[in-house]
Amino acid sequence: MTIKETQEEIIDEFSMFDDWMERYEYIIELGKGLPLIDAQYQVEENLIKGCQSQVWLHAEESNGNIVFTANSDAILTKGIIAILIRVFSGHKTEDILNADLSFIDEIGLKEHLSPTRANGLVSMVKQIRMYALAYQAKH
C-alpha cells in the first residue's frame, strides 16, 4: 500500500466518528497496536525533542525501506506516533520525504490537539523525515 493509500484509509476511518471524544478514543486504541521500540533503542538519543511527553523513535533500513518503531509514556501521544508510523513505515526514503501530509489537516488532528501536542506532532514528522534524509545520504 502506498503512503497516499494509507492516508486515505486513515481519513476514511476518522470520518466514521461523529465527535472528537470518539476520535481521541480511537487514537488511543491505535496506540495499543504500535510497533514498540526495542528496549535497547529506548534511549536519550532516540527521544524526539519538542514533545511534551517522552516519545522514542527508532528507524532501521530493511530491503531499501525504512521501518520505524516507537514508544511513548503518554497514551494519546502513543496513538499519534502510531498513526505516523502506519503511514511512513516500510517505505522508501524518497517517498517519505515527498509525502504530502494534508491528511493530518483532513482528519482535523492538529487543530484538536493542545498547542504543545500539536508542536509534538510537528516534531515527530520532522524526526521521521530526518531519519529518511540520513538513510538517503548513506546511499
Side-chain angles (χ1 to χ4, degrees):
M1 194 180 289
T2 67
I3 287 176
K4 184 79 179 139
E5 289 167 343
T6 303
Q7 290 175 348
E8 288 169 3
E9 193 176 82
I10 291 168
I11 292 167
D12 287 345
E13 290 167 11
F14 272 77
S15 70
M16 293 187 293
F17 301 106
D18 296 327
D19 64 42
W20 263 92
M21 283 316 295
E22 291 176 347
R23 289 179 183 185
Y24 288 132
E25 288 171 21
Y26 184 61
I27 292 170
I28 291 166
E29 276 304 306
L30 291 174
K32 292 176 182 172
L34 176 68
L36 285 182
I37 193 169
D38 193 287
Q40 69 181 2
Y41 301 120
Q42 201 161 312
V43 293
E44 181 75 27
E45 66 191 40
N46 288 334
L47 270 174
I48 296 177
K49 311 292 181 262
C51 284
Q52 175 182 339
S53 312
Q54 290 192 299
V55 182
W56 296 269
L57 180 67
H58 175 69
E60 46 190 62
E61 201 169 14
S62 174
N63 301 321
N65 295 332
I66 301 178
V67 177
F68 294 99
T69 54
N71 199 2
S72 175
D73 61 354
I75 56 172
L76 187 62
T77 308
K78 196 181 251 191
I80 294 168
I81 194 70
I83 291 170
L84 294 176
I85 285 178
R86 181 172 155 197
V87 169
F88 293 114
S89 192
H91 291 283
K92 299 199 175 315
T93 55
E94 58 272 10
D95 295 336
I96 293 168
L97 294 170
N98 296 325
D100 173 10
L101 295 179
S102 59
F103 86 100
I104 292 171
D105 292 327
E106 285 189 52
I107 63 174
L109 187 56
K110 208 185 287 182
E111 70 188 69
H112 286 91
L113 294 175
S114 67
T116 49
R117 282 232 164 81
N119 287 343
L121 171 64
V122 170
S123 296
M124 290 177 207
V125 170
K126 197 157 109 184
Q127 189 61 47
I128 287 169
R129 288 196 158 148
M130 292 302 279
Y131 274 123
L133 275 172
Y135 280 109
Q136 188 178 52
K138 285 182 177 181
H139 296 287

